[in-house]
């Protein structure tokens, strides 16, 4: 297959080990499921399940878990050619506890250093990065060298072309040695200057811009250089504001939450799918909310990513199914998104050489991930965030909805909110 990728993601990759029963502390768990994890990896998987041609730039240990991740990526339809081994460091592991609806403690094992922070600028295929219709990077990639320099080099190569997404992805534990939020802000500012889309929750927006209130945060992100700001508000839904003045608030979908981790990456992959399809902003964010809600209703993360038919069912008001499909690239027959992309091209309105006009185009698309902990209800956490790293951000408790003035409410698809269930929106 030749031609540009629909999506290239860059960043975290590791193995998630989840108890196979909810409500069980780790010290009492006896059986675990092993899954591909890491926000950048999961966003690539989520988009691949929706029919997109995706690839990941990351690194693993030179060990059996690294081999497992390569096999899993290929099984999901994600190109792993730029995932390389680091002999000096083991493949990261992440354990979680699941106490639905809103408590999912995470325990990261990324010491002495995670291989995905050993990405070097000279190893990048910058021609492929430039050509990708969407490029996705995360804040964690800025936390240490050489990953920081490599991430900024990839962003510079993009030259703000097409859709370049910065998932603000604030993980305090990864920045402790560097000096915390104060040390992170200049690096976030440097990345924002190259990005066309920024996605984050209230805490992440505050780290990046100093603003926490959703509208103020969106304005600050636009002032920092992006064309589209997506501010996730957990149970309050999502606020998306475009530089052209388009603004929309999309409320969450309500589901029975099983595991909130992974919902953000499903949200991000679905956002990429929507903007590649050239949809308007309300439709794109509504679709992403539905994808995130599906994953929140399931046990796993990567293997729970929905295909097009499953998202379409939720949007029709059918609700999310409890069990995800088997690992592998998405093969759903159809939904309202149009034909599947062909080799290296795809049907989207976002050409590889630059943005298209209007919301939902290069400047108007949205993405989130782990990224955005999209859709997962927030609650106390151990460590710095989600395994797939997609879970809710630690210590963030969404407050009451702020006044949205004239911002239109896109609303859920008819019948999609399910009474008595937990709201799952853009994430915390």
């Amino acid at each position: 297959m030749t031609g540009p990728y629909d999506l290239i993601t860059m960043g975290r990759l590791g193995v998630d080990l989840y108890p196979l029963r909810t409500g069980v502390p780790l010290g009492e768990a006896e059986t675990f499921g092993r899954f591909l994890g890491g926000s950048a990896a999961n966003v690539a998987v989520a988009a691949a399940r929706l029919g997109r041609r995706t690839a990941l730039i990351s690194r693993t240990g030179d060990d059996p878990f690294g081999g497992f991740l390569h096999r899993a990526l290929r099984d999901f339809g994600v190109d792993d050619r730029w995932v390389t081994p680091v002999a000096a460091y083991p493949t990261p592991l992440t354990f979680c506890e699941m106490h639905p609806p809103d408590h999912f403690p995470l325990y990261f094992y990324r010491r002495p250093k995670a291989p995905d922070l050993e990405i070097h600028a000279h190893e990048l295929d910058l021609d492929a990065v430039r050509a990708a219709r969407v490029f996705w990077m995360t804040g964690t990639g800025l936390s240490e060298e050489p990953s920081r320099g490599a991430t900024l080099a990839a962003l510079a190569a993009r030259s703000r072309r097409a859709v370049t997404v910065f998932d603000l992805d604030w993980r305090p534990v990864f920045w402790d040695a560097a000096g915390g939020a104060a040390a992170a802000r200049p690096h976030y500012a440097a990345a924002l200057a190259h990005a066309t889309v920024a996605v984050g929750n209230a805490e992440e927006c505050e780290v990046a811009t100093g603003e926490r209130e959703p509208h103020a945060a969106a304005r600050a992100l636009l002032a920092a250089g992006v064309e589209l700001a997506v501010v996730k508000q957990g149970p309050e839904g999502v606020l998306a504001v475009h530089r052209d003045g388009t603004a929309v608030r999309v409320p969450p979908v309500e589901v029975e939450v099983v595991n909130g981790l992974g919902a953000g990456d499903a949200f991000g992959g679905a956002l990429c799918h929507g903007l590649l399809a050239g949809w308007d902003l309300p439709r794109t964010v509504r679709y992403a909310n539905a994808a995130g809600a599906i994953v929140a209703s399931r046990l796993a993360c990567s293997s729970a990513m929905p295909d097009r038919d499953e998202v379409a069912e939720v949007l029709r008001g059918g609700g999310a199914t409890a069990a995800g499909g088997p690992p592998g690239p998405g093969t759903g027959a159809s939904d309202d998104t149009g034909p599947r992309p062909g080799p290296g091209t795809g049907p989207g309105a976002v050409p590889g050489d630059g943005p298209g006009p209007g919301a939902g185009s290069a400047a108007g698309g949205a993405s989130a991930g782990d990224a955005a902990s999209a859709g997962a209800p927030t609650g106390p956490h151990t460590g710095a965030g989600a395994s797939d790293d997609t879970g809710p951000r630690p210590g963030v408790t969404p407050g009451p909805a702020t006044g949205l003035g004239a911002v239109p409410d896109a609303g859920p698809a008819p019948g999609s909110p399910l009474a008595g269930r937990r709201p799952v929106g853009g994430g915390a």
Side-chain angles (χ1 to χ4, degrees):
M1 187 177 291
T2 60
Y5 290 88
D6 291 322
L7 170 67
I8 293 178
T9 66
M10 179 175 181
R12 255 194 321 275
L13 172 64
V15 174
D16 290 348
L17 295 170
Y18 292 172
L20 295 181
R21 293 172 54 205
T22 61
V24 178
L26 278 182
E28 299 176 15
E30 295 182 351
T31 56
F32 295 82
R34 180 191 60 176
F35 306 98
L36 176 146
S39 61
N42 278 347
V43 170
V45 169
R49 289 279 290 172
L50 296 170
R52 298 298 176 179
R53 183 177 180 230
T54 71
L56 171 68
I57 300 170
S58 191
R59 305 198 74 178
T60 69
D62 190 7
D63 53 31
F65 277 133
F68 159 73
L69 291 174
H70 277 279
R71 292 191 299 274
L73 287 167
R74 291 192 292 266
D75 286 345
F76 281 122
V78 177
D79 195 326
D80 65 340
R81 70 181 64 194
W82 298 306
V83 178
T84 56
V86 178
Y89 303 120
T91 299
L93 304 178
T94 302
F95 290 84
C96 82
E97 294 179 6
M98 291 175 287
H99 303 282
D102 58 6
H103 184 47
F104 305 98
L106 285 151
Y107 303 84
F108 289 94
Y109 292 80
R110 290 171 61 91
R111 299 297 181 206
K113 187 177 186 180
D116 55 59
L117 294 174
E118 280 291 301
I119 302 171
H120 292 261
H122 67 82
E123 299 170 333
L124 298 175
D125 184 341
L126 293 180
D127 288 337
V129 169
R130 288 187 195 97
R133 300 174 69 207
V134 179
F135 178 71
W136 177 289
M137 48 73 62
T138 76
T140 296
L142 301 173
S143 64
E144 290 189 42
E145 294 290 0
S147 173
R148 179 186 303 140
T151 301
L152 292 173
L155 288 171
R158 292 284 290 176
S159 300
R160 295 176 56 82
R161 106 179 353 95
V163 180
T164 301
V165 184
F166 181 9
D167 170 16
L168 301 180
D169 179 41
W170 173 242
R171 305 290 175 181
V173 72
F174 300 153
W175 289 87
D176 285 349
R185 187 165 295 163
H187 303 304
Y188 272 55
L192 285 168
H194 293 289
T196 62
V197 179
V199 183
N201 61 32
E203 184 183 21
E204 293 165 339
C205 290
E206 187 174 27
V207 169
T209 69
E211 298 288 352
R212 190 179 185 93
E213 190 278 325
H215 284 272
R219 289 192 295 270
L221 290 169
L222 294 176
V226 304
E227 299 297 314
L228 177 73
V230 179
V231 182
K232 297 174 292 171
Q233 303 174 74
E236 302 301 328
V238 181
L239 172 68
V241 182
H242 191 271
R243 183 177 296 280
D244 67 7
T246 304
V248 63
R249 181 181 67 85
V250 176
V253 176
E254 296 187 359
V255 296
E256 295 289 349
V257 175
V258 175
N259 182 3
L261 308 177
D265 295 339
F267 181 88
L271 276 167
C272 292
H273 175 64
L275 66 91
L276 284 164
W279 297 342
D280 62 26
L281 199 54
R283 181 182 180 187
T284 299
V285 179
R286 187 186 299 118
Y287 191 92
N289 272 350
I294 290 169
V295 174
S297 72
R298 296 172 174 175
L299 179 73
C301 295
S302 54
S303 59
M305 296 299 174
D307 63 24
R308 293 182 177 188
D309 292 339
E310 292 173 306
V311 179
E313 177 65 18
V314 170
L315 291 172
R316 286 193 296 266
T321 56
T331 56
S334 67
D335 65 1
D336 59 357
T337 67
R340 293 284 192 268
T345 54
V350 185
D353 58 353
S361 65
S367 310
D370 162 58
S373 335
T378 56
H381 283 258
T382 301
S387 114
D388 79 55
D389 319 274
T390 73
R393 297 299 190 264
V396 182
T397 303
T402 56
L404 294 174
V407 177
D409 185 340
S416 61
L418 306 174
R421 298 188 177 187
R422 185 80 178 186
V424 177

